[in-house]
């Protein structure tokens, strides 16, 4: 009767409700709503509405700004938020508490995934829905475009979240994590042709950018949002969606494999006295 | 389970039948090194089903390390450890479902409501429920048991320190554990909460046959709660016995105090009964305010720790274990 599959499934169900409860908790926390959901969408929407009228070759500057905003948000939510959450919850004992119950780590992982996913979907809709309605030129390119929008966002989030989890697990001080996770996010977004064409960059830097997933998320989203003829005429060229899917899938698999090992190691090293030590350390900093 | 088996396994049965209850926790030669520092230098201990054991010792003696090794949260350097038939380093999830761990909480799950969190952690135990051992505890009943019913819908970050600690205890026992580990459970409790907690511990040990291992700095608490007290100093168990056994060992002298007329007298003796009899024979009805005090657990503790600190721990430990066994 007690098969291990059944036991795991019970923990997965508990994890699902955990994610929903945490999401509800986030929604009722004004500070989190403001910083986590509203700030970035409002910023990019504002820019797009005020500066979005220029058009060159079938692409309005509004479209470019919304596109940059989407990629930035995927990167921030996936990498920086995940890294910070993991580091914080290891320090404050959340992880340890989950580890003390049977199959608790399954519950924790599922819960965290659901929570971050719901949060990201909400935050991105808050940017995308008003943009589709009010910003000139922003439109989804047919069914293929709509589909691409969904899978690029999900795959991109999954990839970056596993990288974020690795960063969060490796850095012990959660106050350092924000900075240390933001830095690579900013650099990668900067060199991946999200805010300005890559042609300005030296060739070797372009190659570096193309190794990392953010460049490919950009490629995918461009194909979803920009008309093909405009892309073909511009400096980006038409995106190779199958290639995008392949690279992102490879990154996701790699990320999951490494993240799983690193998180296991982190969980093994979590104990009450380490949480206690972190607490005393935090008290000394007095905040 | 037949009544005969139950008699052989449970504590109540053991008391009634004289057959010792089953051993659920066995540690021998446990060593722990952090780098070149040796924290545990060969700890031996056992616990039977339904026993309440208090682990005492100065800060840094290795109490928390010992508990964390038993909980499976820390890998030991050497020694044999058996908790409920498994090595904690390789304990599976079924094994974990039979343990309760009361953690020191800080600010985790601050946005959760008390009832939601307790219910959430209870869910993980449901697949391990058996007809004669239903898991988990009903959330409402458990909230009532730890006195948090009126705070059930409060967010955890709004609880006071003592209320949080009670929630920690509730989460620790939500799966109806067979062995419960508590690391300084009553830190920050007011006297009322402390009394409630003690009642809960008695209840768990007597009615549920839970084996409880707790650390504390409160010697009165240890004396009140524990069937057996272990004193950990210098990485070893330097004393192991019931509170009474320990008191009778440390200093053989009791203190007799009395008043005759206006005069208060104090006398230390190893035969207090005879001394009292002599006093009565001598003074008769003039003898008032008579008080005989045995050495307290605090005296035992201070003496042992002092011996350890003066570098005499090994001899002291040998002496004690010889006398007790």
């Amino acid at each position: 009767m007690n098969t291990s599959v059944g036991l795991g499934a019970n923990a997965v169900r508990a994890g699902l409700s955990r994610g929903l409860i945490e999401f509800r908790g986030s929604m009722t926390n004004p500070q989190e709503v403001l910083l986590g959901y509203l700030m970035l969408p409002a910023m990019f929407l504002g820019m797009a509405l005020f500066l979005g009228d220029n058009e060159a070759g079938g692409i309005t500057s509004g479209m470019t700004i919304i596109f940059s905003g989407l990629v930035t948000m995927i990167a921030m939510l996936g990498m920086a938020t995940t890294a910070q959450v993991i580091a914080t919850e290891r320090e404050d004992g959340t992880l340890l508490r989950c580890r003390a119950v049977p199959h608790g780590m399954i519950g924790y992982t599922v819960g965290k995934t659901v929570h971050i996913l719901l949060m990201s979907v909400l935050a991105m809709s808050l940017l995308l829905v008003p943009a589709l309605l009010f910003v000139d030129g922003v439109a989804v390119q047919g069914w293929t475009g709509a589909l691409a929008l969904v899978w690029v966002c999900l795959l991109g989030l999954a990839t970056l979240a596993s990288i974020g989890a690795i960063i969060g697990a490796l850095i012990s001080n959660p106050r350092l994590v924000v900075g240390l996770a933001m830095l690579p996010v900013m650099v990668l977004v900067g060199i991946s042709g999200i805010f300005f064409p890559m042609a300005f960059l030296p060739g070797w830097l372009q190659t570096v950018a193309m190794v990392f997933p953010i460049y490919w998320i950009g490629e995918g989203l461009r194909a979803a949002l920009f008309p093909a003829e405009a892309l073909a005429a511009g400096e980006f060229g038409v995106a190779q969606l199958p290639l995008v899917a392949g690279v992102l899938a490879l990154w996701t698999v790699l990320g999951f494999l490494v993240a799983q090992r690193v998180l296991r190691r982190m969980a093994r090293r979590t104990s009450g006295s380490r949480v206690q030590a972190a607490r005393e350390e935090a008290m000394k900093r007095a905040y | 389970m037949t009544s005969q088996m139950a008699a052989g396994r449970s504590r109540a049965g053991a008391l009634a039948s004289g057959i010792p209850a089953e051993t659920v926790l066995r540690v021998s030669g446990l060593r722990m090194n952090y780098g070149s520092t040796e924290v545990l230098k060969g700890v031996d201990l056992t616990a039977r089903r339904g026993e309440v054991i208090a682990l005492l010792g100065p800060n840094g003696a290795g109490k928390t390390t010992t508990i964390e090794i038993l909980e499976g949260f820390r890998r030991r350097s050497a020694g044999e450890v058996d908790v409920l038939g498994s090595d904690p380093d390789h304990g599976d999830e079924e094994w974990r479902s039979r343990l309760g761990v009361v953690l020191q909480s800080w600010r985790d799950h601050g946005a959760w409501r008390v009832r939601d969190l307790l219910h959430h952690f209870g869910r993980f135990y449901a697949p391990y429920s058996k007809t004669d051992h239903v898991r988990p505890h009903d959330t409402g009943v458990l909230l009532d048991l730890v006195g948090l019913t009126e705070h059930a819908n409060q967010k955890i970050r709004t609880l006071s320190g003592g209320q949080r600690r009670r929630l920690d205890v509730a989460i620790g026992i939500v799966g109806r554990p067979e062995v419960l580990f508590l690391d300084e459970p009553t830190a920050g409790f007011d006297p009322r909460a402390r009394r409630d907690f003690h009642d809960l511990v008695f209840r768990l040990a007597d009615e549920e046959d839970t084996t409880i291992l707790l650390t504390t700095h409160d010697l009165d608490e240890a004396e009140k709660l524990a069937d057996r007290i272990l004193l950990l100093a210098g990485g070893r168990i330097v004393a192991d016995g019931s509170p009474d056994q320990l008191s009778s060992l440390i200093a053989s002298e009791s203190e007799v105090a009395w008043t005759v007329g206006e005069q208060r007298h104090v006398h230390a003796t190893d035969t207090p009964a005879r001394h009292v009899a002599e006093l009565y024979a001598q003074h008769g009805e003039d003898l008032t305010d008579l008080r005989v005090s045995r050495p307290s657990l605090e005296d035992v503790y201070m003496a042992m720790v002092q011996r350890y600190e003066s570098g005499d721990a090994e001899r002291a430990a040998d002496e004690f274990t010889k006398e007790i066994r």
Side-chain angles (χ1 to χ4, degrees):
Chain A
M1 132 191 118
N2 287 343
T3 62
S4 63
V5 176
L7 298 178
N10 176 70
V12 169
R13 275 195 302 275
L16 287 175
S17 78
R18 179 182 181 82
L20 290 175
I21 290 172
E22 296 214 306
F23 179 62
R24 213 168 55 208
S26 301
M27 293 298 292
T28 51
N29 178 351
Q31 196 191 342
E32 207 180 325
V33 169
L34 228 64
L35 293 177
Y37 306 106
L38 292 180
M39 200 179 71
L40 278 178
M43 220 170 75
F44 283 101
L45 269 176
M47 283 198 297
L49 286 170
F50 285 110
L51 313 167
D53 293 337
N54 301 330
E55 194 198 310
I59 297 176
T60 66
S61 48
M63 289 160 71
T64 319
I65 291 169
I66 295 299
F67 160 79
S68 309
L70 259 187
V71 179
T72 309
M73 281 177 65
I74 293 177
M76 293 281 295
L77 288 162
M79 242 164 112
T81 309
T82 310
Q84 204 213 339
V85 163
I86 298 269
T88 306
E89 298 199 333
R90 173 179 44 162
E91 192 197 44
D92 72 14
T94 307
L95 196 77
L96 182 62
R97 219 182 265 290
C98 292
R99 216 187 139 204
V101 301
H103 287 296
M105 288 310 291
I106 296 182
Y108 177 78
T109 314
V110 172
K112 212 75 264 172
T113 310
V114 170
H115 182 199
I116 291 182
L117 194 70
L118 287 175
M119 204 169 137
S120 308
V121 168
L122 178 73
M124 288 194 288
S125 337
L126 284 177
L127 173 66
L128 208 56
V129 173
L132 286 169
L133 294 175
F134 302 117
V135 178
D136 278 346
V138 175
V140 175
Q141 301 303 312
W143 283 110
T144 340
L147 204 65
L149 183 68
V150 172
W151 70 251
V152 171
C153 286
L154 287 181
L155 215 52
L157 268 174
T159 308
L160 295 178
S162 54
I163 300 175
I166 296 168
I167 297 176
L170 290 178
I171 300 165
S172 56
N173 184 344
R175 279 149 299 275
L176 279 178
V177 166
V178 187
L180 285 175
M182 288 287 279
L183 200 69
V185 169
M186 288 305 173
V187 170
L188 282 178
V189 171
I191 63 171
S192 296
I194 307 302
F195 282 92
F196 53 88
M198 283 170 86
F200 292 116
L201 300 169
W204 64 270
L205 203 53
Q206 294 186 28
T207 317
V208 170
M210 287 174 73
V211 173
F212 289 100
I214 290 184
Y215 168 83
W216 298 97
I217 295 171
E219 281 281 295
L221 287 183
R222 239 181 247 120
L225 293 172
F226 296 174
E229 42 298 1
L231 281 178
E235 66 266 40
F236 294 109
V238 179
Q240 303 287 321
L241 278 179
L243 188 61
V244 172
V247 175
L248 287 183
L250 189 69
W251 261 100
T252 308
V253 171
L254 265 176
F256 261 85
L257 288 177
V258 178
Q260 201 192 16
R261 290 187 69 118
V262 176
L263 287 171
R264 280 235 174 98
R265 176 174 160 273
M266 174 185 86
R268 232 187 2 252
R269 293 165 55 92
T270 316
S271 70
S273 47
R274 290 208 172 89
V275 170
Q276 189 65 24
R279 173 184 183 172
E280 273 154 25
E281 192 54 38
M283 295 299 175
K284 272 187 227 154
R285 285 188 301 266
Y287 69 101
Chain B
M1 195 190 283
T2 67
S3 61
Q4 205 180 0
M5 263 179 77
R9 290 166 66 92
S10 74
R11 184 166 89 135
L15 288 175
S17 65
I19 305 165
E22 158 199 21
T23 303
V24 290
L25 211 145
R26 186 179 283 118
V27 176
S28 65
L30 175 62
R31 289 171 176 276
M32 187 72 198
N33 309 323
Y34 294 121
S36 58
T37 324
E38 242 191 335
V39 178
L40 301 177
K41 302 174 184 168
V43 167
D44 301 309
L45 67 93
T46 55
R48 298 184 179 283
R49 191 169 289 276
E51 215 174 7
V52 180
I53 295 182
L55 192 57
L56 304 181
N59 289 330
K63 301 188 295 287
T64 300
T65 301
T66 306
I67 285 219
E68 286 182 352
I69 289 169
L70 297 177
E71 290 166 346
F73 286 163
R74 205 175 266 279
R75 273 168 202 261
R76 60 187 183 270
S77 305
E80 299 291 312
V81 179
D82 183 301
V83 178
L84 288 169
S86 290
D87 179 338
D89 278 357
H90 308 291
D92 58 9
E93 304 294 327
E94 198 272 331
W95 172 77
R96 180 145 307 283
S97 77
R98 299 163 68 197
L99 297 188
V101 176
V102 173
L103 295 161
Q104 302 266 16
S105 74
W106 171 13
R107 55 180 181 197
D108 61 293
H109 294 98
W112 285 63
R113 291 179 198 285
V114 172
R115 184 196 306 279
D116 288 347
L117 190 65
L118 199 52
H119 178 74
H120 172 69
F121 282 126
R123 288 182 69 173
F124 289 89
Y125 294 92
Y128 302 96
S129 187
K130 298 191 179 84
T131 41
D132 60 346
H133 195 97
V134 177
R135 294 182 164 107
H137 269 297
D138 178 78
T139 309
V141 173
L142 191 53
L143 283 170
D144 200 38
L145 205 62
V146 297
L148 283 176
T149 305
E150 56 184 309
H151 306 286
N153 292 319
Q154 237 167 287
K155 289 210 171 155
I156 291 169
R157 70 164 74 90
T158 66
L159 296 180
S160 74
Q163 289 162 352
R164 271 206 82 131
R165 204 76 196 100
R166 286 194 234 176
L167 178 61
D168 293 337
V169 173
I171 293 172
I173 63 175
V174 69
R176 292 190 65 205
E178 291 168 53
V179 177
L180 179 64
F181 298 104
L182 300 125
D183 200 358
E184 291 183 32
T186 53
F189 274 20
D190 61 26
R192 168 80 193 280
R194 192 175 294 258
R195 169 71 67 85
D196 290 346
F197 171 76
H198 292 174
D199 290 344
L200 181 63
V201 167
F202 289 133
R203 202 184 144 136
L204 288 172
D206 293 341
E207 291 173 24
E208 307 246 325
D209 247 338
T210 313
T211 308
I212 297 171
L213 180 62
L214 60 95
T215 70
T216 180
H217 280 298
D218 183 337
L219 300 171
D220 290 336
E221 178 168 280
E223 196 162 6
K224 207 177 286 175
L225 285 181
D227 298 316
R228 204 140 55 80
I229 289 175
L230 305 176
L231 185 50
L232 189 63
R236 268 177 233 279
I237 304 284
V238 296
D240 175 349
S242 71
D244 275 348
Q245 277 174 316
L246 294 197
S247 306
S248 65
L249 284 175
I250 179 63
S252 45
E253 303 214 320
S254 296
E255 193 182 83
V256 181
W258 71 93
T259 305
V260 175
E262 296 294 297
Q263 189 70 42
R264 184 81 177 148
H265 302 269
V266 178
H267 178 68
T269 172
D270 50 6
T271 53
R274 176 183 298 170
H275 190 74
V276 170
E278 286 168 4
L279 283 174
Y280 191 78
Q282 195 180 337
H283 302 289
E285 299 297 327
D286 294 338
L287 184 68
T288 51
D289 281 342
L290 179 70
R291 189 167 57 85
V292 179
S293 38
R294 291 182 56 191
S296 69
L297 184 59
E298 188 174 321
D299 298 327
V300 180
Y301 179 90
M302 297 312 283
M304 285 309 301
V305 171
Q306 200 189 348
R307 276 194 217 180
Y308 151 68
E309 276 165 358
S310 62
D312 215 5
E314 265 164 63
R315 203 174 56 78
D318 289 346
E319 229 169 75
F320 263 84
T321 38
K322 221 183 305 160
E323 283 185 71
I324 288 170
R325 274 165 196 167

